[in-house]
Amino acid sequence: MNTMDNLEKQLICPICLEMFTKPVVILPCQHNLCRKCANDVFQASNPYLPTRGGSLTSGGRFRCPSCRHEVVLDRHGVYGLQRNLLVENIIDMFKQESSSSSSKPAPERKEETPMCDVHEEEKINIYCVTHGVPTCSMCKVFGAHKDCEVAAITSIYQSKKAELSDGIAMMVGNNDRMQGIVSQLEEACRAIEENGRRQKTLVCERFDQLYSILEEKKVEMSQKVTAEQEEKVNYIRGLTRKYGDHLEESCKMVELGIQTMEEPEMALFLQNTKPLLKKLAEASSTAHLDKVERGYENMDHYTVDFKKEGLALRSLDFLQDDEDEDEEDEDGEASAEEGEGPPAAPAGGGGAPAPVQPAAPPQPSPSSPSAASS
């Protein structure tokens, strides 16, 4: 009976201090309450919520009387809680066993006592401990169990009943613990999903920062190329205008020379020839005009090579342990001191690689790109 008492304590409601009554509801914290008791606690915690039919059917909250865990209910109220059918079945079995043990066996129950299969007129009234089966006295005296150890069937019944009751109580406790583990695992899944979303957002923000740095550098380097392009084009166009003016002047001198050639008077012809020859000589000379160097139109000195930066970007990864970071920092400092160039980007990829600055060769002056050349 001690075991039965322990089982009965596990089936006591913490509100009414009586055995759970149907239906039994299981709270999110895995503790049990009678539905009526749960409804009473709910009403006491939510006095201003509307009721229907004497019970709450609106959402609200209250605290578990066993562990003070906050229970949040939806619009179904207490009727939205899950029934604990296992506890209800255990209560039914417990009440049946209690009523059968407290009342005397009825005469008709004696008629239902099973009879021995070998000795049909003998009732099964002893228990063979050796083989673990109930049997009759005749089997012990003359039959197959005469050399076996036997015991009174009532004592074996009580011990087995107590063992089964202990097993049920243990199973109820195990079920509560398993339900708690399931709840913890579900909470862990939700935490993992939330943490994963947050970290993906942070990673995307870091990459957006890297994209903005690369975009700014692209615009800056494109502006340098555009500036030199416009400078050279403007200089060539100015030089083209100078050569065009000189060509126009030469054409006028040619026309003047042809007109002079048609002069029939020799004295007048000789008077006009001397200044004309001087002007022709001056017009034939282009020494005062600039010459463009070979390759002046070339823009190849703005070539860039991002092979190292590409390798660094492809090696981007998440940050490792603190020890690995310290080792990388030490390696980077040692490399910088030895004059081997800047340290490689860390595996974490937190920052952008340093962009390449194109080394532009000396450019000719727009005013005189090659005044001294021929």
Side-chain angles (χ1 to χ4, degrees):
M1 293 299 295
N2 187 21
T3 303
M4 296 296 291
D5 293 339
N6 292 334
L7 178 58
E8 184 177 2
K9 291 179 181 179
Q10 299 292 329
L11 303 177
I12 297 298
C13 175
I15 301 298
C16 60
L17 300 181
E18 295 180 358
M19 188 173 296
F20 292 114
T21 56
K22 289 185 180 180
V24 181
V25 295
I26 181 170
L27 303 180
C29 57
Q30 310 309 315
H31 291 108
N32 299 295
L33 289 177
C34 305
R35 177 177 288 175
K36 180 180 180 303
C37 296
N39 195 24
D40 293 340
V41 175
F42 191 18
Q43 290 181 355
S45 301
N46 302 267
Y48 300 107
L49 288 180
T51 60
R52 185 178 63 189
S55 61
L56 288 167
T57 57
S58 300
R61 60 185 66 201
F62 67 97
R63 293 190 178 276
C64 173
S66 299
C67 65
R68 306 303 299 168
H69 178 81
E70 188 177 48
V71 180
V72 180
L73 301 182
D74 57 11
R75 61 185 181 86
H76 300 289
V78 174
Y79 287 87
L81 293 173
Q82 183 179 359
R83 291 181 59 177
N84 196 332
L85 300 179
L86 176 61
V87 173
E88 293 181 11
N89 293 335
I90 293 173
I91 292 174
D92 292 340
M93 296 171 58
F94 181 84
K95 289 182 178 179
Q96 291 177 4
E97 293 295 334
S98 299
S99 60
S100 62
S101 61
S102 60
S103 61
K104 294 182 179 180
E108 56 270 18
R109 293 289 295 176
K110 292 182 180 179
E111 295 177 1
E112 295 176 0
T113 302
M115 310 300 288
C116 179
D117 294 337
V118 180
H119 308 91
E120 298 180 355
E121 297 180 356
E122 295 291 330
K123 298 177 181 179
I124 296 177
N125 54 3
I126 61 175
Y127 188 83
C128 178
V129 180
T130 303
H131 295 93
V133 293
T135 185
C136 69
S137 301
M138 296 299 293
C139 290
K140 170 59 180 172
V141 178
F142 304 108
H145 302 284
K146 61 181 179 179
D147 297 328
C148 299
E149 178 184 357
V150 296
I153 197 169
T154 55
S155 62
I156 299 299
Y157 167 76
Q158 293 296 335
S159 64
K160 293 297 183 181
K161 190 173 182 180
E163 182 179 351
L164 179 59
S165 178
D166 292 341
I168 293 174
M170 183 180 298
M171 185 59 64
V172 171
N174 288 337
N175 289 342
D176 289 341
R177 287 191 292 272
M178 291 298 294
Q179 187 63 40
I181 293 174
V182 170
S183 300
Q184 292 176 359
L185 293 175
E186 292 176 350
E187 182 63 27
C189 287
R190 288 191 291 270
I192 290 172
E193 292 175 352
E194 179 62 26
N195 293 336
R197 286 192 293 268
R198 182 173 62 253
Q199 292 306 119
K200 284 191 289 186
T201 301
L202 293 176
V203 169
C204 291
E205 290 177 356
R206 294 298 178 88
F207 272 91
D208 289 340
Q209 294 174 2
L210 184 59
Y211 298 154
S212 64
I213 293 174
L214 292 175
E215 186 66 25
E216 292 175 1
K217 204 61 186 177
K218 182 182 72 174
V219 172
E220 177 185 345
M221 297 174 71
S222 297
Q223 290 175 349
K224 289 184 178 181
V225 177
T226 302
E228 182 168 339
Q229 169 190 330
E230 294 176 352
E231 181 182 358
K232 288 187 174 183
V233 169
N234 292 335
Y235 171 74
I236 294 297
R237 286 176 178 172
L239 197 59
T240 302
R241 286 194 297 271
K242 291 181 180 181
Y243 273 91
D245 295 341
H246 186 77
L247 177 60
E248 183 179 356
E249 186 68 23
S250 298
C251 292
K252 290 181 180 180
M253 295 303 298
V254 169
E255 292 177 359
L256 183 58
I258 293 174
Q259 293 176 1
T260 305
M261 289 289 294
E262 294 175 353
E263 177 63 43
E265 181 62 37
M266 291 185 293
L268 186 58
F269 174 81
L270 292 175
Q271 283 181 346
N272 296 330
T273 300
K274 183 176 181 179
L276 181 59
L277 291 174
K278 183 178 180 181
K279 291 181 179 181
L280 288 174
E282 292 176 355
S284 300
S285 175
T286 58
H288 63 287
L289 297 176
D290 295 338
K291 304 297 188 302
V292 180
E293 291 183 352
R294 183 185 300 275
Y296 179 73
E297 70 281 1
N298 197 347
M299 301 287 284
D300 293 344
H301 50 279
Y302 283 107
T303 302
V304 293
D305 184 3
F306 294 121
K307 290 182 179 179
K308 293 181 179 180
E309 287 74 13
L311 293 175
L313 289 174
R314 290 185 181 90
S315 65
L316 291 179
D317 202 347
F318 296 103
L319 293 176
Q320 306 299 321
D321 296 336
D322 295 339
E323 296 180 357
D324 297 339
E325 294 179 3
D326 294 340
E327 292 177 358
E328 292 176 358
D329 292 341
E330 292 175 359
D331 294 342
E333 293 175 359
S335 175
E337 292 175 357
E338 294 174 1
E340 297 177 356
V356 175
Q357 295 286 354
Q363 303 175 6
S365 173
S367 60
S368 56
S370 177
S373 63
S374 57

